[in-house]
Amino acid sequence: MAENGRRFDTTEFDPAGQGPHRQRKEPRVFGEHAVPRWVYRIVLILILCVTGTLGWMNRDNLTPSNVLEWIQARVVGMGVGDGYPHSIAGTSVLPKNFISADKNIYFASDTSLTVMNSTAKELVSRQHSFSDPVLRLGGNRMLLYNLGGRGCQLESMNRTVKKISVDQNIIAGALARQGEYALLTEADGYCGELTAYTADGREQSHYWFSDYYPTAVALNPDATRAAVTGVNVTNGVMKSAVYLLDLSSAKAQPPLAVYDGNMIFDVSWNGDSSVTAFGDQAAVVINADSKAKTEYDYGAMQLTAYCSSEGMTALGFSSYSGSSNSTFAVLDRSGKKILSQQLQGAIRSVSLYGSAAAALCGSKVSFYTTSPVGAAGTCDAGNDAKAVAMKDETSAYVLGVSEIRMVSVR
């Protein structure tokens, strides 16, 4: 600013006669203590280091397509629905196709694939034409295939990513974290064939089985290995095999383990290195790195429900004698039993979430914690309850005949 040709400045003059100097800023003060600038620099550096480390550890997840799908899934998930119960009258949903993830409920009926959030807002509703649909989840993707048919489709929250029709009937399918998937199919001249696909639906590798008829498949998180179960009959004896296949190898790979009399019909890959194979006589927990195997024999009980998560396996049993006594058991990642509970009634469904577990027995859902081990409460599920899927440690979705309900621990 100027007046009469002279310029005025907002400087102060040094009283000691050393000339003008700029007005000094007061330091930032929290309470009565000044925080030096170097503290902010260190905090910023620490934040950048942590962010960089997390980014490096999850570098495989941070592809542009995955980041975009994650954002789209969060945007789609915003909003509030009319709440539960939610009617599904006119459709039929099998318990195996009733799955909870990220606090949403995913289910495939005989006509459509549906995803709803915790307020019953419909996030996905897409028709399909499969006579026997099977639903699998992995990361932000969903795999829906026609069991015994040839149709398969890969879904995200915002679109159908890929539809394919294979040459032979589908026996089983699996989905990995980044959207890679695999299909077991019948194969002319062989017991079966495993085909692995990239996330965009391109065929990546093939493996043919000549000794055992494959029954189930699971993929490890980064889709580099597959766990496959198979069965055969030799001299009148039922034999089951568990394979751990390196999908980058074209060589024949022998089964990791073979069991007599135990018909293994399903398998899951839990986290990076744990595999659980489910049979009619025993479950087998395998460390995929060390190849160590732990067999959990059912004894005189009959398996009625099962599931697994990254760290645990849940099993529901009934007595062969036809009594109303049931047993609910939870195994850790090494196959060690960490919880066993006697229940009255038939266990129809079991579910896991973090360190919590739940069993649908009769018309009640019983909740448990595994750290520390103990009962966490019960709630009414309804007389028509067919399946339970935990939303979090204290609440769950329940599949009824004509509606989906949400229940919480009392």
Side-chain angles (χ1 to χ4, degrees):
M1 165 176 202
E3 180 179 341
N4 296 328
R6 299 178 63 186
R7 182 177 179 274
F8 292 88
D9 199 356
T10 58
T11 57
E12 297 178 352
F13 286 87
D14 187 349
Q18 299 300 318
H21 63 279
R22 297 281 178 189
Q23 187 175 2
R24 290 161 55 186
K25 295 182 179 179
E26 293 295 327
R28 296 181 183 179
V29 177
F30 285 74
E32 297 180 354
H33 302 283
V35 179
R37 290 185 177 181
W38 62 266
V39 174
Y40 294 102
R41 295 192 184 102
I42 291 177
V43 171
L44 178 60
I45 291 171
L46 289 174
I47 292 173
L48 292 175
C49 289
V50 172
T51 303
T53 301
L54 291 175
W56 173 254
M57 293 174 63
N58 293 278
R59 61 193 182 277
D60 294 334
N61 299 335
L62 299 178
T63 63
S65 60
N66 287 337
V67 172
L68 180 60
E69 284 193 3
W70 183 87
I71 294 173
Q72 290 171 336
R74 295 305 179 271
V75 171
V76 170
M78 297 172 63
V80 178
D82 295 330
Y84 293 93
H86 178 83
S87 175
I88 55 171
T91 63
S92 175
V93 180
L94 297 178
K96 67 180 180 182
N97 292 330
F98 188 72
I99 308 168
S100 178
D102 296 327
K103 299 191 176 182
N104 298 328
I105 188 66
Y106 298 70
F107 58 96
S109 72
D110 53 347
T111 60
S112 63
L113 168 65
T114 305
V115 183
M116 296 190 302
N117 68 12
S118 59
T119 68
K121 180 192 174 184
E122 210 168 68
L123 310 181
V124 173
S125 180
R126 297 183 195 139
Q127 300 294 311
H128 68 76
S129 58
F130 299 156
S131 58
D132 193 356
V134 178
L135 176 63
R136 294 287 183 263
L137 302 185
N140 295 320
R141 296 285 182 87
M142 298 158 276
L143 178 69
L144 190 68
Y145 63 88
N146 193 16
L147 183 62
R150 301 187 179 187
C152 172
Q153 53 196 63
L154 188 64
E155 303 281 347
S156 71
M157 294 292 280
N158 66 311
R159 65 189 178 99
T160 298
V161 178
K162 185 80 173 180
K163 285 187 177 182
I164 66 171
S165 179
V166 294
D167 295 333
Q168 299 282 351
N169 293 334
I170 298 173
I171 300 168
L175 182 61
R177 182 172 53 199
Q178 299 304 315
E180 304 93 341
Y181 59 103
L183 294 175
L184 279 175
T185 61
E186 298 174 356
D188 294 335
Y190 293 89
C191 296
E193 178 185 357
L194 174 68
T195 305
Y197 298 83
T198 62
D200 58 3
R202 292 178 290 108
E203 293 185 8
Q204 186 175 19
S205 64
H206 296 265
Y207 189 88
W208 287 268
F209 298 89
S210 57
D211 296 322
Y212 293 88
Y213 292 90
T215 56
V217 59
L219 294 174
N220 69 333
D222 60 5
T224 58
R225 292 186 290 176
V228 179
T229 58
V231 297
N232 209 337
V233 176
T234 302
N235 298 324
V237 177
M238 169 71 70
K239 290 181 177 292
S240 293
V242 180
Y243 293 82
L244 291 184
L245 301 177
D246 178 358
L247 296 179
S248 65
S249 174
K251 298 180 180 179
Q253 301 175 55
L256 174 66
V258 176
Y259 299 92
D260 291 345
N262 184 24
M263 187 180 71
I264 297 178
F265 55 85
D266 205 354
V267 66
S268 65
W269 202 299
N270 315 318
D272 292 327
S273 61
S274 182
V275 173
T276 304
F278 300 93
D280 65 341
Q281 303 294 320
V284 183
V285 179
I286 301 169
N287 185 305
D289 295 330
S290 68
K291 307 303 187 294
K293 300 175 286 294
T294 302
E295 189 171 347
Y296 184 81
D297 193 278
Y298 306 156
M301 297 181 295
Q302 181 179 18
L303 184 68
T304 59
Y306 64 91
C307 75
S308 59
S309 66
E310 186 166 333
M312 299 187 299
T313 296
L315 305 166
F317 304 101
S318 67
S319 172
Y320 277 119
S321 64
S323 69
S324 60
N325 295 327
S326 295
T327 301
F328 178 52
V330 178
L331 315 179
D332 65 13
R333 66 173 66 249
S334 66
K336 179 183 177 181
K337 183 170 65 177
I338 54 177
L339 183 148
S340 181
Q341 184 70 37
Q342 300 298 312
L343 299 174
Q344 290 294 314
I347 297 178
R348 297 192 183 100
S349 176
V350 295
S351 183
L352 295 166
Y353 183 93
S355 61
L360 172 63
C361 188
S363 61
K364 288 187 177 181
V365 176
S366 297
F367 292 84
Y368 300 90
T369 61
T370 59
S371 181
V373 176
T378 63
C379 62
D380 292 330
N383 293 328
D384 65 338
K386 300 192 297 180
V388 61
M390 296 188 73
K391 171 181 167 287
D392 52 38
E393 291 88 347
T394 59
S395 60
Y397 298 101
V398 171
L399 173 65
V401 173
S402 60
E403 66 180 16
I404 294 173
R405 300 180 281 273
M406 186 186 294
V407 298
S408 298
V409 173
R410 290 201 303 266

